[in-house]
Amino acid sequence: MEKRLKAPVAPEKKIGNIIAVVLIAAVYVLLYLLDNVLPTNSVTTMLIPVLRKGAIYAMVCVSMNLLNGFTGLFSLGQAGFMLIGAYSYAIFAIPAEQHAAVYQYFEGGSIQFSIPQVLSGVLGESGGAFLGAIICLIIAGAVAAVFAALIGIPVLRLKSDYLAIATLGFAEIIRAVFQWDGLGKITNGSNLLRKYTSFSDMRVHAGDTTIKFDSMFPFLIAMLSILIIVLLVNSSYGRAFKSIRDDEIAAEAMGINLFKHKMISFVVSSFFAGVGGALLAMFQTTIQAAPFRSTMTYEILLMVVIGGIGSISGSCIAAFLYIACSEWWLRFLDSGALPIPFVDASIPVPFFRDGFRKVVFSVIIMVIVLFFSRGIMGDKELSFSGMIRKIKNRTKTAAAAAGEEDAQ
């Protein structure tokens, strides 16, 4: 039998892959330096939380884009699944000796063990914290996925606005249920859950040296999660999702089981939303149901729209830009003064006051929506090989045009 010859890899693709690997490595080197080497100053104090939160929201946006952008299901339940994930993570990560302090109004709670703590007895403190946190993240995603499967049976038969209303209602109901005192021994009612494993516990102790992975951990989890979603989108299931998005009737005529594929998309999206909620709990170090309102879902949807519905790289770019603008770059607008770069001084501006940041931020969003109606990336992806190919084509065109001019 003749062996099939593999198609040669284009040089542009090789160079693009090398650039991507180098950039990813550079990001992790930067994160390591921020956690372990660079001194704490006004820039790093703002940059570190923005990078951590940006990574979390990038993953959540990609999970929402899988559902809304690639499958065409208009769901608004993301905050509810993040809430389930955050609580599931915290409940299984609170050390046993801290239950009395955390569940002080509910007789110490009903779950009297901690997965990271149990594993610490076998793997040591650092190993238990890392592996325990990862297991708790998986549990958080699995619990959110189970809830998604249960509510998906009735709601996925709805379409368009009806599906959005149903999922939004589910998120609000979940938030209210988790604050109910009847579940206080598990959820702590309307009180905070705290003292669980957070990013500050992601450290390796080697003698007198401590290596911190506070910022690398959320980036690693987010990157792996996004990679799994990318592989799913590029698989046969992803092609089925896109066909359902484009035309349900034609997809069904081609033999695609609509309900099955919608359920897969819904469950996978909810799983990673749950993981995102757990990472957010680790970032905040405390968790409570009240902030997980519909406003959170609208913010995530806004990031998806700004980045481009149907673009994974667009969702990632928009998430980091949104977090950086809302929590760092535009904060001076609320301070009443314009800071002077590289100088510890500022210029008073009378109309800069509390809330002005939100006004300017809203205007920026309106401009983006008006002039980039399909988002920053549209439905395209960021491709280094594509950029190199365009540069080569433009160079060839310019060289050919120059040759024609010389010939004339």
Side-chain angles (χ1 to χ4, degrees), residues 235-280:
S235 69
S236 59
Y237 286 101
R239 290 189 289 274
F241 296 158
K242 293 174 187 176
S243 64
I244 292 172
R245 174 196 63 189
D246 295 336
D247 193 327
E248 285 193 10
I249 297 174
E252 191 172 21
M254 292 295 293
I256 294 173
N257 187 324
L258 298 183
F259 181 78
K260 172 188 171 183
H261 286 84
K262 285 181 181 181
M263 179 64 82
I264 291 172
S265 178
F266 192 56
V267 168
V268 171
S269 174
S270 302
F271 175 89
F272 289 110
V275 174
L279 288 174
L280 188 61

Side-chain angles (χ1 to χ4, degrees), residues 145-182:
V146 169
F147 272 85
L150 292 175
I151 71 161
I153 295 172
V155 304
L156 289 181
R157 302 184 188 280
L158 304 174
K159 295 183 180 180
S160 188
D161 299 342
Y162 299 102
L163 175 61
I165 293 169
T167 51
L168 182 61
F170 158 76
E172 292 298 312
I173 291 169
I174 283 292
R175 184 172 59 83
V177 169
F178 272 56
Q179 295 180 94
W180 176 42
D181 285 348

Side-chain angles (χ1 to χ4, degrees), residues 39 42 44 48-49 68 90 106 109 130 159 194 207 223 247 253 280 305 320 366:
S42 58
T44 57
I48 290 173
N68 290 30
F106 299 98
F130 273 97
K159 295 183 180 180
R194 51 197 173 88
M223 185 187 72
D247 193 327
L280 188 61
V305 172
F320 280 101
M366 288 175 63

